[in-house]
Amino acid sequence: MWRTRAAAACVICRSLANSSYGIKRKSPLQNLHLVSRSTHHPYYPSSKFQRPPLRISLQLFSSLNRLPPHKTKLLTVKHGYQSHRNFWLARLASRLLKVRYLILGSAVGGGYTAKKTYEQWKDMMPDLEEYKWIIPDFVWELDELIDFEKLLKALPDADDLARLLPDFDKIGESLASLKGFLSPGSPGETAFRATDQGYDSDKQFKKVSDKEKIDQLQEELLRTQLKYQRMLERLEKENKELRKLVLQRDDKGIHQRKLKKSLIDMYSEVLDILSDYDASYNTQDHLPRVVVVGDQSAGKTSVLEMIAQARIFPRGSGEMMTRSPVKVTLSEGPHHVALFKDSSREFDLTKEEDLAALRNEIEIRMRNSVKEGCTVSTETISLSVKGPGLQRMVLVDLPGVISTVTSGMAPDTKETIFSISKAYMQNPNAIILCIQDGSVDAERSIVTDLVSQMDPQGKRTIFVLTKVDLAEKNVASPNRIQQIIEGKLFPMKALGYFAVVTGKGNSSESIESIKEYEEEFFQNSRLLKTSMLKAHQVTTKNLSLAVSDCFWKMVRESVEQQADAFKATRFNLETEWKNNYPRLRELDRNELFEKAKNEILDEVISLTQVTPKHWEEMLEKTLWERVSTHVIENIYLPAAQTANSGTFNTTVDIKLKQWTDKQLPNKAVEVAWETLQEEFSRFMTEKKGKEHDDIFDKLKQAVREETIKRHRWNERAEDSLRVIQHNALEDRSISDKQQWDAAIHFMEETLQSRLKDTESVIEDMVGPDWKKRWLYWVGRTKEQNIRNETKNELEKLIKCNEDHPAYLANDEVTTVRKNLEARGVAVDPCLIKDTWHQIYRRYFLKSALNHCNLCRRGFYYYQRHFVDSELECNDIVLFWRIQRMLAITANTLRQQLTNTEVRRLEKNVKEVLEDFAEDNEKKVMLLTGKRVQLAEDLKKVREIQEKLEAFIEALHQEK
C-alpha cells in the first residue's frame, strides 16, 4: 500500500515538473520528483536507478525545443531488503504524512495547471477588438467596477506554489534514518518482530511485481489525460464555431464596414507579385516560405492535405502527380473554401463534387504549365485555402525527388526537379519541411542528402516521418524509428522531428476518418507507450502548429530586412530611369499597351474620315488595273476580228455576260478588300512627326496582320454586286457628247498603254535599234538577230494585206520560213508564230487608235444609229459600257466600305486588342526594349515594397 501510493505521488510530482518546463532555475518540484523516484523504489540501488517509462496522451501544443536535462544531486539513501514490520505507530505516521503530501501536491499541481491552461487559452483566443460593437456597452464598464488585475495578481505564481511544498530533503533524511532504525540488528528490530501480527496477511501483496504496478499507474494516468484532452477538444471545437459565427456576421456586413485583409493574405500577395516578377525564381527575395520536399510518393501531398484539412490535390498510384510547384496559402475564414489567384470561383471544400472539380482544375493547370517535351514545370500555381481553425502559413509543394528517369519522362526530368528544389531551398529564410517515407528503408532516401546540403546545420529544417503505422508493422527493430526521430540515423540535422500517419492508403478516405485513425494508432502504438516517441512529436495537428510557429517566427525576424533590400533596389531603378529617360513618364508594359490601343483605335476611326471621292477613285483605278487584261484579250480583241457590227455586239454581249456571272463580282470584292487593307496599313504605319513612338511599331504591325487575317467580307455583297454590274453592262445608251468623249479618252488611254507594253516586248525580242547600238555600244544576240529578220519579213506580209486576220495560215508560215532560209536564216515555225502575235498586236492597236480618232466626230452618227454612214464606232460603245460599270461598281463598293466593312474592321481591331491584352506573353513579345523592362521592374519593386511595408505595419499592430 505504501509503495502504491508513493508511486502515485511520484507520477503527480513528475507531471508538475513537466508542466513547468518554462522555469529556468532549479525548483523544489525537481527535487520532489527525484526524491520520490528514489524513495519509492527501494529494491534498486540509486546508482542504477532508471526512470520508469511513461505513456502520456497527445498534447494539444507543440514545441520544437526539447527540455534540457536538469542535473540534480540525488540523496544518498541506503537501500536494502527490510522485513515488513507491524509497528503500528510508525505505519500510522507514514500514512498520515503520505495522505498530506497527496492532497497538498494535487492541490498545488491542479492550481498551477489550471493557471497555465488559462494562459494558453488566453493566447489562443482571437483578437475580438473589432467586434466590440456586438457586446452591450455596460459589459465594457465592468472593469471600472471590478479590478480584474488585482484578482489576477492575487493568484499565486510558480515560485509561491513551490514554497508551499515541504522540504523534501529533510523528509528524505528522516525516512533514511527510519530505514536505518528498521534494518536487521537494530534496537527496534525485536519490537517490530513482537508486534508484527499482520505479516502473513500482507505477504500476498508482494506477489504483484513492481512493473505491473507501474503499468497500472501509467494506464490510469493515460485515461485521465485522455479525458482532459477530450474536454479541451470540445472547448476548441466550440471556440471554432464561435469564431465562425463572428466571421459570418462580419461577412454579412451588419454595419457595412470594410474588413482589412488578413496578415497571411497580405503576405501571400507579396509572394504572388514576386512570382510574377520573375517566374524563373531568380530574384532571390529571401522571404520565408514553407518548402515541402520529399521523395516521390513519400506522402508530401497527403501531409499538406491534412494541414489544409481537405483532399485538394490530385493523386495517383506510384506515378508523378505534382508536376509544378503549388503555392498554398492557408488562412482562417468562416467557410472552408479554396480559390485560385487568377480566378474568382470558390470551391466549397465540404462538398465532394467541388473537391473533385478542384483536383481536376489543379491537374489541368499543371499539365498546361508543362512545355512540350518536358515532364515538370517551374511555373507556380497559386492556391488559397480558407477555413475555420486553419493555421496561417504559406506552403510550396514541390515535385517529388526521383532517382531514375522512367519511360515517358523527359531525359532532364531528374535534374530539373533537383534544380527547382534547390532554387526554393537556397533561400536562407525558407523553412524546409522534409518528408521521409517511414515504410521504406532509410538508405533509399534521396531527399535527406539534398536537404543536408542546403541546410547543413538544420536551423530551418523540420523532419517529418510519414506512414509510421506501416513502419511499425514492417520494421524489425522499433529502435530504428526512434533513431530516425531523434536525428541519429540520417546525416541531416533538423529543428524538430515529427511522426505522422496520413491514412490507410485509400484515396477515398475523408480527413475526419484519417484523423481518427491517426489518433487511434498513436494511442495504441507501442512506440508511444515505450517512450520511443514523445507526445509533442506525433500527429499532423502538432506538426501544423509547430510549422506555423516556426513560419511566423521566421517572418518576424526577416521581413523588415527584405523590405529594406527592396527599398534600395527601388532607389537604384529610379536613378537609372532619371538618367536615361528624363522627359518620359514611367509607363509599364500594361500602360504602354493602353496608350498604343488608343492610338490604334484613333487610326481605325480615321478610315471613316476618308472622302467618298477618294474611295471611288482608288476602287475604280485598282479594279480596272485588275480586269483590263481580261477585257482587252478576251472580249475586245476577239470581238474586233468579226466581220460586221452585229457580230461584234453579239460577241461582246455573250462574253460580258459570262464574265459578270463568274468572275467580275468576286474580283471587285477582292479589289475592295485590298483597298481597305492598303488604307488601314497606311494609317497604321504613317509616322506622326515628333509624337511618333517607334516602341509601338511591332504591336501595330501585329494588330494589323491579325485583324486582316480575321476579317471576312460580307458574303451577300457579291450577289447584290452581280445584279448591279449586269444591269450596268446591258445599257448601251450614251446620253451626251461629254460621255462620248470620255469613253474615247478612256479607250485611247487603254490602247496606248497596251501599245507601249507591246513595243517593249518587241524591243526585248529583237534587241536595241541602231540608235541605241551607237549611243550605248550594245549589240544584238544571235536569237535577237533571227527574231529581227523574222519581224521584218512579217511586217512585209502585213503591208501586203492590211485586212489580214489575227492568225497566220500554215502556208504563210512556210512561206516566211523559206524566205528566211533563202537569206541564210534558219528559223523555227513556233518562233515565227510567237513573233507574229506581237507584230499583229502592235498593228491592231495602232489601227484601233486611228479608228478611235475618227470616232471623235461620230456622236452625231451614233444618235442616228450610224444610218447612212460608213463609220462604225461599236468599240467606243463597248468601252463606255466598261467605264460606266467601273464607276457604278466603285460607288457600290464604297458604300459597302463606309457603311459596313469599316465598322466590322473596327470591331475586329477591338477584339484583337482585347485578346492581346489578356495574353501577357504576346505583350512581352510585342512591347520590348530597355525602356519597357526598366519601367516594368520599377513598378513591380514599388508594389512589392509598398505591400511589404503595409504587411510590416499590420504585423506590428498584431503584436
Side-chain angles (χ1 to χ4, degrees):
M1 187 66 179
W2 168 275
R3 289 191 298 273
T4 304
R5 295 184 178 180
C10 178
V11 171
I12 294 173
C13 297
R14 189 181 300 112
S15 66
L16 287 175
N18 290 337
S19 65
S20 60
Y21 64 89
I23 304 174
K24 295 183 179 179
R25 62 180 181 274
K26 191 173 180 181
S27 68
L29 293 177
Q30 298 169 354
N31 294 334
L32 170 63
H33 167 62
L34 295 173
V35 171
S36 61
R37 183 171 65 182
S38 61
T39 304
H40 300 152
H41 302 282
Y43 306 120
Y44 303 95
S46 61
S47 61
K48 297 181 180 180
F49 177 79
Q50 295 181 356
R51 178 182 176 182
L54 285 178
R55 288 177 294 175
I56 58 177
S57 179
L58 313 180
Q59 299 181 14
L60 292 179
F61 64 94
S62 66
S63 174
L64 299 179
N65 301 321
R66 300 180 179 176
L67 290 175
H70 297 283
K71 297 181 180 179
T72 308
K73 185 177 180 181
L74 295 176
L75 296 175
T76 56
V77 182
K78 296 180 180 180
H79 300 284
Y81 177 79
Q82 286 290 339
S83 301
H84 191 75
R85 302 296 183 181
N86 195 12
F87 188 62
W88 63 273
L89 184 60
R91 294 176 64 188
L92 180 61
S94 64
R95 289 177 180 175
L96 289 176
L97 287 173
K98 183 60 182 175
V99 170
R100 172 191 171 193
Y101 298 151
L102 285 173
I103 295 174
L104 184 59
S106 301
V108 173
Y112 181 76
T113 305
K115 180 183 176 183
K116 196 69 178 178
T117 304
Y118 165 74
E119 291 177 352
Q120 290 180 357
W121 274 99
K122 184 179 177 182
D123 295 337
M124 292 171 60
M125 286 297 291
D127 186 8
L128 301 178
E129 194 70 23
E130 299 182 1
Y131 308 99
K132 283 186 176 182
W133 54 271
I134 300 177
I135 309 300
D137 294 338
F138 73 88
V139 177
W140 305 112
E141 298 174 359
L142 290 177
D143 57 348
E144 301 177 0
L145 304 176
I146 302 175
D147 193 351
F148 291 101
E149 295 293 334
K150 187 178 294 183
L151 291 177
L152 185 61
K153 292 179 180 178
L155 293 175
D157 57 8
D159 296 338
D160 296 335
L161 291 174
R163 292 193 192 98
L164 294 175
L165 294 175
D167 191 348
F168 291 98
D169 294 337
K170 295 182 179 180
I171 294 174
E173 293 175 0
S174 300
L175 291 175
S177 61
L178 182 61
K179 284 191 175 184
F181 179 75
L182 297 177
S183 60
S186 64
E189 182 181 5
T190 307
F192 276 107
R193 287 180 182 273
T195 57
D196 192 6
Q197 297 178 355
Y199 176 77
D200 295 335
S201 62
D202 293 338
K203 189 174 182 179
Q204 56 184 347
F205 293 102
K206 294 182 180 179
K207 297 180 181 179
V208 181
S209 64
D210 291 338
K211 184 177 181 180
E212 293 178 351
K213 294 177 182 178
I214 292 172
D215 290 343
Q216 291 176 1
L217 290 173
Q218 288 179 344
E219 291 290 341
E220 183 178 355
L221 183 60
L222 276 174
R223 286 195 296 271
T224 305
Q225 290 186 342
L226 286 174
K227 175 182 176 183
Y228 285 110
Q229 179 184 346
R230 293 191 185 97
M231 292 176 62
L232 290 174
E233 287 179 351
R234 179 174 56 81
L235 291 173
E236 184 182 8
K237 186 176 181 180
E238 292 177 358
N239 179 38
K240 188 185 297 184
E241 293 294 330
L242 288 173
R243 290 174 65 88
K244 182 177 179 180
L245 289 174
V246 171
L247 291 171
Q248 284 178 340
R249 275 191 168 190
D250 205 63
D251 278 349
K252 292 178 182 177
I254 298 176
H255 291 288
Q256 299 297 328
R257 293 178 297 110
K258 185 177 181 180
L259 288 180
K260 296 180 179 178
K261 290 184 179 179
S262 64
L263 272 177
I264 193 62
D265 289 337
M266 296 171 67
Y267 187 76
S268 179
E269 282 185 4
V270 175
L271 296 182
D272 287 337
I273 297 171
L274 283 170
S275 177
D276 295 338
Y277 177 45
D278 192 353
S280 62
Y281 199 74
N282 291 325
T283 46
Q284 303 295 331
D285 54 272
H286 296 173
L287 286 173
R289 302 165 177 80
V290 180
V291 180
V292 186
V293 295
D295 298 332
Q296 183 178 341
S297 303
K300 298 187 293 77
T301 301
S302 300
V303 171
L304 278 177
E305 287 180 336
M306 291 296 293
I307 295 175
Q309 297 295 297
R311 307 299 297 269
I312 58 177
F313 291 103
R315 45 193 172 272
S317 178
E319 60 177 321
M320 179 182 291
M321 298 305 298
T322 307
R323 297 180 177 271
S324 66
V326 181
K327 181 176 77 68
V328 182
T329 303
L330 300 180
S331 59
E332 194 170 20
H335 307 289
H336 203 185
V337 296
L339 65 158
F340 292 97
K341 177 190 70 172
D342 54 355
S343 174
S344 59
R345 178 186 176 184
E346 286 191 350
F347 296 88
D348 190 348
L349 301 183
T350 60
K351 298 179 180 179
E352 186 58 38
E353 56 270 19
D354 277 22
L355 280 171
L358 177 61
R359 290 192 291 266
N360 184 55
E361 180 67 19
I362 292 176
E363 185 173 2
I364 291 174
R365 286 174 179 256
M366 284 184 181
R367 295 189 181 278
N368 291 340
S369 66
V370 177
K371 297 180 181 178
E372 187 177 356
C374 300
T375 306
V376 293
S377 169
T378 58
E379 183 179 341
T380 303
I381 298 173
S382 183
L383 179 68
S384 177
V385 178
K386 298 182 180 181
L390 292 182
Q391 298 298 319
R392 303 177 302 169
M393 66 182 103
V394 177
L395 305 103
V396 182
D397 185 21
L398 300 180
V401 179
I402 61 175
S403 58
T404 305
V405 177
T406 59
S407 61
M409 292 185 178
D412 62 342
T413 301
K414 180 179 177 181
E415 290 75 15
T416 304
I417 294 175
F418 268 85
S419 64
I420 293 174
S421 301
K422 287 181 178 180
Y424 276 91
M425 288 191 293
Q426 69 185 3
N427 178 358
N429 296 321
I431 301 165
I432 303 173
L433 196 62
C434 179
I435 309 297
Q436 172 62 34
D437 189 349
S439 63
V440 300
D441 296 335
E443 290 75 12
R444 296 168 56 185
S445 175
I446 307 173
V447 71
T448 51
D449 293 335
L450 181 62
V451 172
S452 63
Q453 294 174 11
M454 306 308 297
D455 184 24
Q457 301 300 323
K459 295 181 179 180
R460 51 189 179 90
T461 300
I462 299 176
F463 182 86
V464 182
L465 187 67
T466 61
K467 306 178 184 179
V468 184
D469 51 342
L470 300 178
E472 188 180 34
K473 294 178 183 178
N474 301 334
V475 177
S477 175
N479 293 329
R480 194 171 178 84
I481 299 177
Q482 184 180 8
Q483 289 178 346
I484 294 175
I485 296 301
E486 291 179 352
K488 298 178 181 178
L489 189 62
F490 290 110
M492 60 171 288
K493 299 178 182 179
L495 280 172
Y497 296 81
F498 289 87
V500 298
V501 174
T502 54
K504 302 177 183 179
N506 186 3
S507 60
S508 62
E509 286 181 290
S510 64
I511 294 295
E512 294 298 328
S513 63
I514 295 175
K515 289 171 63 177
E516 292 175 0
Y517 173 71
E518 184 184 41
E519 182 179 351
E520 181 182 356
F521 168 76
F522 282 117
Q523 287 176 3
N524 301 323
S525 173
R526 67 176 183 271
L527 298 173
L528 204 61
K529 289 180 180 179
T530 56
S531 298
M532 291 185 181
L533 299 178
K534 304 298 186 295
H536 68 273
Q537 292 181 308
V538 298
T539 72
T540 50
K541 184 173 184 180
N542 285 339
L543 170 65
S544 176
L545 290 168
V547 174
S548 178
D549 291 343
C550 188
F551 170 76
W552 284 107
K553 179 182 178 183
M554 191 74 77
V555 168
R556 289 185 172 91
E557 291 176 352
S558 62
V559 68
E560 292 189 3
Q561 181 181 0
Q562 295 303 308
D564 293 339
F566 280 105
K567 181 183 284 187
T569 304
R570 172 180 174 177
F571 175 79
N572 294 337
L573 292 174
E574 287 177 344
T575 304
E576 185 178 358
W577 181 274
K578 290 177 182 177
N579 293 333
N580 292 313
Y581 311 104
R583 297 184 179 181
L584 294 177
R585 287 193 303 127
E586 301 164 2
L587 299 179
D588 60 14
R589 186 170 280 110
N590 291 330
E591 292 170 338
L592 286 171
F593 182 83
E594 289 299 321
K595 183 179 178 181
K597 176 181 177 181
N598 294 331
E599 286 189 10
I600 293 171
L601 292 177
D602 290 342
E603 289 161 358
V604 174
I605 293 175
S606 299
L607 286 173
T608 60
Q609 307 301 320
V610 179
T611 61
K613 181 180 179 181
H614 180 72
W615 279 120
E616 292 181 10
E617 288 178 353
M618 289 182 59
L619 290 169
E620 187 173 350
K621 178 182 177 182
T622 308
L623 181 59
W624 175 240
E625 290 175 354
R626 192 68 56 86
V627 302
S628 60
T629 301
H630 180 84
V631 171
I632 298 298
E633 302 295 334
N634 298 327
I635 298 176
Y636 174 59
L637 289 179
Q641 306 303 318
T642 57
N644 53 62
S645 61
T647 309
F648 177 88
N649 292 330
T650 303
T651 304
V652 166
D653 291 342
I654 294 174
K655 291 186 176 295
L656 287 177
K657 181 68 168 58
Q658 294 175 350
W659 182 44
T660 306
D661 291 339
K662 296 179 181 180
Q663 300 179 14
L664 183 58
N666 180 263
K667 192 70 69 174
V669 170
E670 288 181 2
V671 167
W673 174 221
E674 290 176 3
T675 304
L676 180 60
Q677 290 182 41
E678 290 177 3
E679 286 297 295
F680 179 54
S681 300
R682 181 173 66 85
F683 282 113
M684 293 283 285
T685 57
E686 186 178 13
K687 295 185 178 182
K688 299 173 178 61
K690 295 181 179 180
E691 297 180 359
H692 178 74
D693 195 346
D694 56 1
I695 203 170
F696 299 142
D697 290 347
K698 289 177 66 177
L699 176 61
K700 290 182 178 180
Q701 181 180 358
V703 171
R704 184 180 74 249
E705 292 175 355
E706 184 65 23
T707 303
I708 291 173
K709 187 186 301 182
R710 295 187 185 185
H711 187 79
R712 293 291 181 273
W713 202 274
N714 191 356
E715 296 179 355
R716 294 178 295 178
E718 290 188 16
D719 297 333
S720 59
L721 195 60
R722 181 178 291 108
V723 175
I724 294 172
Q725 291 172 339
H726 183 71
N727 293 334
L729 289 173
E730 283 186 346
D731 188 8
R732 301 179 184 177
S733 57
I734 303 175
S735 58
D736 53 23
K737 182 71 165 54
Q738 185 178 1
Q739 293 182 8
W740 181 268
D741 293 339
I744 293 175
H745 179 71
F746 175 61
M747 181 178 176
E748 284 180 341
E749 284 185 348
T750 303
L751 295 179
Q752 286 176 357
S753 174
R754 294 292 165 177
L755 179 59
K756 184 178 180 180
D757 294 339
T758 304
E759 293 282 2
S760 176
V761 172
I762 293 174
E763 184 178 355
D764 293 336
M765 291 173 60
V766 301
D769 56 8
W770 66 270
K771 291 182 180 179
K772 290 184 178 180
R773 290 201 302 271
W774 278 98
L775 292 175
Y776 301 106
W777 291 83
V778 292
R780 291 172 176 168
T781 63
K782 183 179 180 180
E783 183 180 357
Q784 288 177 340
N785 285 322
I786 295 174
R787 284 188 176 273
N788 185 52
E789 294 294 336
T790 306
K791 177 183 76 80
N792 295 332
E793 191 68 25
L794 293 174
E795 286 178 347
K796 293 178 182 178
L797 182 63
I798 292 178
K799 287 181 181 179
C800 294
N801 184 10
E802 294 182 355
D803 295 332
H804 197 286
Y807 301 98
L808 280 176
N810 291 331
D811 55 346
E812 292 176 329
V813 173
T814 303
T815 301
V816 172
R817 182 172 60 83
K818 288 181 177 181
N819 291 339
L820 292 173
E821 288 177 353
R823 294 200 300 267
V825 179
V827 64
D828 186 75
C830 294
L831 186 142
I832 297 173
K833 292 181 179 180
D834 186 37
T835 307
W836 167 258
H837 176 72
Q838 298 300 329
I839 299 299
Y840 181 81
R841 183 185 181 88
R842 182 178 64 177
Y843 168 75
F844 174 79
L845 291 174
K846 288 182 177 180
S847 301
L849 283 172
N850 293 329
H851 180 70
C852 183
N853 190 31
L854 293 175
C855 289
R856 288 183 181 277
R857 49 185 172 81
F859 181 69
Y860 171 76
Y861 299 104
Y862 165 77
Q863 289 179 326
R864 299 181 59 185
H865 303 288
F866 298 103
V867 177
D868 299 331
S869 174
E870 296 180 358
L871 184 64
E872 293 183 357
C873 298
N874 294 315
D875 48 358
I876 304 297
V877 177
L878 169 63
F879 276 90
W880 178 84
R881 294 166 67 183
I882 298 294
Q883 187 182 33
R884 185 169 180 272
M885 181 273 298
L886 292 175
I888 293 175
T889 302
N891 180 269
T892 305
L893 292 175
R894 190 266 306 166
Q895 293 180 17
Q896 292 181 1
L897 280 170
T898 56
N899 297 337
T900 306
E901 300 304 327
V902 171
R903 295 180 181 177
R904 292 179 64 235
L905 183 69
E906 181 181 359
K907 182 180 178 182
N908 289 337
V909 170
K910 290 180 179 179
E911 291 177 354
V912 171
L913 289 172
E914 290 175 359
D915 293 342
F916 284 5
E918 296 175 359
D919 191 346
N920 290 324
E921 294 182 359
K922 182 75 73 174
K923 287 192 289 187
V924 170
M925 182 177 64
L926 297 177
L927 293 173
T928 58
K930 179 181 178 181
R931 169 184 155 195
V932 181
Q933 192 59 46
L934 185 59
E936 195 73 15
D937 293 344
L938 189 53
K939 175 194 173 184
K940 290 293 184 182
V941 170
R942 279 176 179 165
E943 188 177 5
I944 293 168
Q945 185 205 349
E946 291 171 359
K947 288 189 177 294
L948 273 177
E949 290 177 351
F951 170 74
I952 293 171
E953 183 180 356
L955 189 65
H956 290 326
Q957 290 177 358
E958 189 182 64
K959 289 182 180 180

